[in-house]
Amino acid sequence: MRTMFIKELTKLAIEDPRIWLLTADLGYSVLEQFEEAVPDRYMNVGVAEQNLAGMAAGIAHCGNIPFIYSIANFPTMRCLEQIRNDMCYHGYPVRIVSVGGGFSYGSQGYTHHGVEDFAVMRSLLGMTVIAPCDPVETKALIEQSMHVDTPVYFRLGKAGEPLVHPEDAQIQLGRAAVVRNGTDLTFIAIGAIVKHAQDVAEYMAVHDGINIRVLSMHTLKPLDKEAVLKAAKETQGIVTIEEHSITGGLGSAVAEVLAEDCEDKVSFQRYGLADQKYSLIGDQKFLRECLLGDLRQKSLKIMKNPIVFTEVKINE
Amino acid sequence: MTTELAKNIRKNILNMVYRAKASHAGSSLSIADILAVLYENILNVDAKNPDFKERDRFILSKGHAATALYAVLAEKEFFPKEWLDKYCENDQLLSGHISHYVPGVDFSTGSLGHGLPIACGVALAKRTARSPARVFALLSDGECDEGSNWEAMLFAGHHGLDNLVLIIDYNKIQSFGRVEDVLDLEPFADKLRAFKWNVQELDGHNHEALQNCFANLPAKSGMPTAIIAHTVKGQGVSFMENKLLWHYKSPTEEQFQEALEELEAQP
C-alpha cells in the first residue's frame, strides 16, 4: 500500500501542481521518488507534527492540496487540534496519511500501534476517513480523493500486502467493495485485515459450509449505509472486522446504522481490540490472534446463537 | 492618521466588550497601535476585494484579541461598522475569538499556538509560487509557552522565510499572571536570534517606530523577521493598564464612560 501510495501520488503530482507532500522526518526509502520528481513541493519539516499540520493548512489556504505523511499515531493524535481547527474548521483539502495502521509495527510496541485512529478521525466534523485494504484500493482511492475538497484521512498498512481485489476491480470512494459474495453471514472489514476476513470466509465455506459475504468498507466516513442495510436484509448476521479498538471505529459506525435505520432482524458482533491496556508485542499476525481473537469461532457462535440486535424502531 | 485610527479601534474595543460583557479588553487594547499602523500603511489588502490572491496575510494568532481586529477591519470598511454592535450575539458573524467567516479575516484562531505554523505554510507556499505576498503573524507573549511556536520558529529560521514577519505583543502579562513569574521568556530576543531570526525590538505603541520597522521588511534578506513589540496590557485606559484583571473583566457602564472620556481627551 505504501509503495502504491507514493507511486500514485508522484504520478498525480507531476500532472497537478497543487499537490504537495510534507513529512515529519519519516519515509526513508519511500518518499524519495516524490522529492526527485517535484522537489519544490516536497518538504521534510523535521520531527514536528504540530508544525507539519499547521503548515499544511497554510499551504492549502494558498490553493494547494498538501499530503502530510507520518506513521501510526504521529500525524493524527500528536497534532489533533491543528487537524480540527486549522484543517477541518477551515475546510481545507489537506490529506493526512498514516502508514503502519493497526499492528503493522506490532513488535515496536504500544506507542507504534495505531488502534484508535478511526474513532478519533471519524469524530472530526467534515473529515473523510479512508483505509484501503490493498494496493488496488489504494491507487483508486488516492486518485478519487482528488475530487474531495475537504480534509481526508488515509490509514495505510505497510509495504507488500497481498492483493485482495483483481487489478481491474471497480473501486468507488464511499461505496463498499464486494470482496466475496455470500448469503449466510456478512463480514464488513476495513484496511489490511480485509485479507484475513477473505481467507477466513473461504475456509469457512469449505469447512463449515457457511457462505460469507465479505465487504471491504474502505471508506469509513461517509459510510456506505446501503451496503450495511443490504447485508442486514440478505444475510443472517454481520460481523465487523477491524484492527482497531472496538470503541468508535467501524464496529461502532455499522452499529449506528443498524440501530437507527435497520428494519430487519440481524445478529451483530464487533471483532476488534477489547478496551483494555496491554503490553504485548509481536508481529501483525501474532497480535491479531492474541488481541483480536479467533474470527472463525466468533462467526460460528453468531451462526449458532443469533443475537437479535435490533427490533424496536426509534423513529416509529 | 494612524493615531486617529488607533483611537477609534480602542473606542470600538471598549464598546464591544462593554455591550457583550466580554473579556480580553486588555489584550485587545495592547495591539491597537500595531494594527492601526499595519492596516493604514503597511498591509497590501483591499476591503473591496478581500480575497485577491496576492494580498498580504495577517494572522491574529492571539485570537482572543478579536475585538481589535474586528474594529480595524470595520474602520477600513471590510464590513459595516454596525456589525461591531452585534459582537458575540446569537447568530451573528463576530464571534468572541476571531473568525474566518468575517470578511478580511483569513484564519480562525482561539486556541493558542496555531498561527505561526499556519504562517510558515503560507510563507513557504508563497515563496515557492514566487508571489510577492507577505505573511504577518501576531502572537501574544503567553502564547509563546506553546511548543508548536518553537517548532515553527525552528522551521522558519532554518528555511530563511524572509516573507514571514512575526510580531510579538509583549505586554508582560499572560492569562494567570506576569510572564516573568509564570514561565519566563527572557532572554527572549536572544532565543529568537538563536533560532536564526532577525530580531527587532520596539515600543509597540510608538507609531513612528512601528512605521519605520514595518516599512523596511524584511529587516534582513534571507531571514524571517521577529518584532518584539514592548506593549502595555490595557494601553490607553489608565485604570486598565498593566492589570491582569482586565484580561477578564468587562467594564461597568460607569467605567465604560470613564474610559471613553479618557480616550477622547488623548491627542
Side-chain angles (χ1 to χ4, degrees), chain A residues 223-292:
Chain A
L223 190 79
D224 184 353
K225 286 187 184 182
E226 275 178 38
V228 173
L229 295 175
K230 193 161 177 285
K233 186 178 283 298
E234 296 174 356
T235 66
Q236 297 170 43
I238 293 174
V239 182
T240 56
I241 299 161
E242 58 195 317
E243 215 164 290
H244 185 275
S245 158
I246 55 161
T247 306
L250 175 68
S252 299
V254 170
E256 287 161 15
V257 173
L258 293 177
E260 286 185 346
D261 299 322
C262 182
E263 291 176 0
D264 301 290
K265 283 187 182 179
V266 62
S267 302
F268 176 73
Q269 285 287 296
R270 291 168 298 162
Y271 177 78
L273 180 66
D275 188 357
Q276 59 187 32
K277 190 166 83 74
Y278 66 91
S279 59
L280 198 66
I281 67 154
D283 63 32
Q284 194 162 23
K285 185 167 175 291
F286 174 78
L287 289 183
R288 280 179 185 169
E289 284 165 11
C290 296
L291 296 173
L292 305 183

Side-chain angles (χ1 to χ4, degrees), chain A residues 169-241:
Chain A
Q170 295 299 305
I171 304 300
Q172 203 187 332
L173 197 153
R175 308 298 292 181
V178 179
V179 173
R180 190 182 190 284
N181 288 309
T183 48
D184 295 329
L185 195 65
T186 303
F187 284 171
I188 303 180
I190 185 169
I193 203 168
V194 169
K195 178 65 188 159
H196 179 60
Q198 183 187 28
D199 291 346
V200 171
E202 294 297 343
Y203 182 92
M204 289 179 68
V206 175
H207 294 86
D208 304 312
I210 297 173
N211 195 5
I212 301 175
R213 176 180 305 181
V214 180
L215 302 178
S216 170
M217 193 63 86
H218 47 69
T219 309
L220 175 59
K221 187 181 159 190
L223 190 79
D224 184 353
K225 286 187 184 182
E226 275 178 38
V228 173
L229 295 175
K230 193 161 177 285
K233 186 178 283 298
E234 296 174 356
T235 66
Q236 297 170 43
I238 293 174
V239 182
T240 56
I241 299 161

Side-chain angles (χ1 to χ4, degrees), chain A residues 20 40-41 43-45 47-52 54-55 57-59 61-62 64 81-82 85-86 89-90 92, chain B residues 55 57 99-101 106-108 111 113-114 116-118 120-122 124-126 128 147-148 151-152 155 159:
Chain A
W20 285 61
D40 284 356
R41 287 178 274 129
M43 180 55 73
N44 177 359
V45 306
V47 192
E49 290 80 8
Q50 293 186 78
N51 192 41
L52 172 79
M55 276 187 63
I59 290 170
H61 166 81
C62 300
N64 301 297
E81 199 185 56
Q82 277 79 9
N85 293 1
D86 306 347
Y89 186 44
H90 292 78
Y92 290 137
Chain B
R55 68 193 182 277
R57 302 310 199 275
S99 164
H100 70 282
Y101 286 93
D106 281 315
F107 295 98
S108 291
S111 174
H114 283 247
L116 196 58
I118 293 171
C120 281
V122 175
L124 180 68
K126 289 296 174 192
T128 303
S148 52
E151 293 182 5
F155 182 90
H159 290 280

Side-chain angles (χ1 to χ4, degrees), chain A residues 21-22 52-53 56 66-70 75 79 87 94-98:
Chain A
L21 175 60
L22 296 95
L52 172 79
F67 283 70
I68 65 171
Y69 178 98
S70 189
C79 48
M87 297 178 194
V94 178
R95 279 76 179 99
I96 301 151
V97 180
S98 173

Side-chain angles (χ1 to χ4, degrees), chain B residues 226-262:
Chain B
I227 301 167
I228 298 181
H230 293 276
T231 54
V232 174
K233 195 163 186 136
Q235 169 80 16
V237 179
S238 52
F239 65 87
M240 291 185 178
E241 287 178 1
N242 247 320
K243 291 201 171 59
L244 178 64
L245 174 71
W246 293 96
H247 191 87
Y248 300 99
K249 193 176 164 11
S250 175
T252 61
E253 189 182 349
E254 209 170 39
Q255 287 169 323
F256 174 53
Q257 293 304 336
E258 187 187 336
L260 283 185
E261 279 163 29
E262 186 181 339

Side-chain angles (χ1 to χ4, degrees), chain A residues 11-31:
Chain A
K11 196 182 90 190
L12 291 169
I14 292 168
E15 304 285 318
D16 187 341
R18 297 172 304 167
I19 297 176
W20 285 61
L21 175 60
L22 296 95
T23 175
D25 209 33
L26 288 166
Y28 175 73
S29 82
V30 179
L31 304 186

Side-chain angles (χ1 to χ4, degrees), chain B residues 151-200:
Chain B
E151 293 182 5
M153 285 172 196
L154 265 176
F155 182 90
H158 177 81
H159 290 280
L161 295 177
D162 63 6
N163 55 349
L164 172 63
V165 183
L166 160 63
I167 306 165
I168 290 161
D169 173 31
Y170 198 8
N171 63 31
K172 323 289 186 298
I173 297 177
Q174 58 187 100
S175 182
F176 206 177
R178 296 196 67 80
V179 171
E180 62 183 347
D181 299 327
V182 176
L183 201 53
D184 197 7
L185 293 167
E186 291 298 335
F188 202 5
D190 287 345
K191 286 191 175 85
L192 291 162
R193 283 189 196 100
F195 279 58
K196 301 182 185 172
W197 286 65
N198 184 283
V199 183
Q200 308 279 312

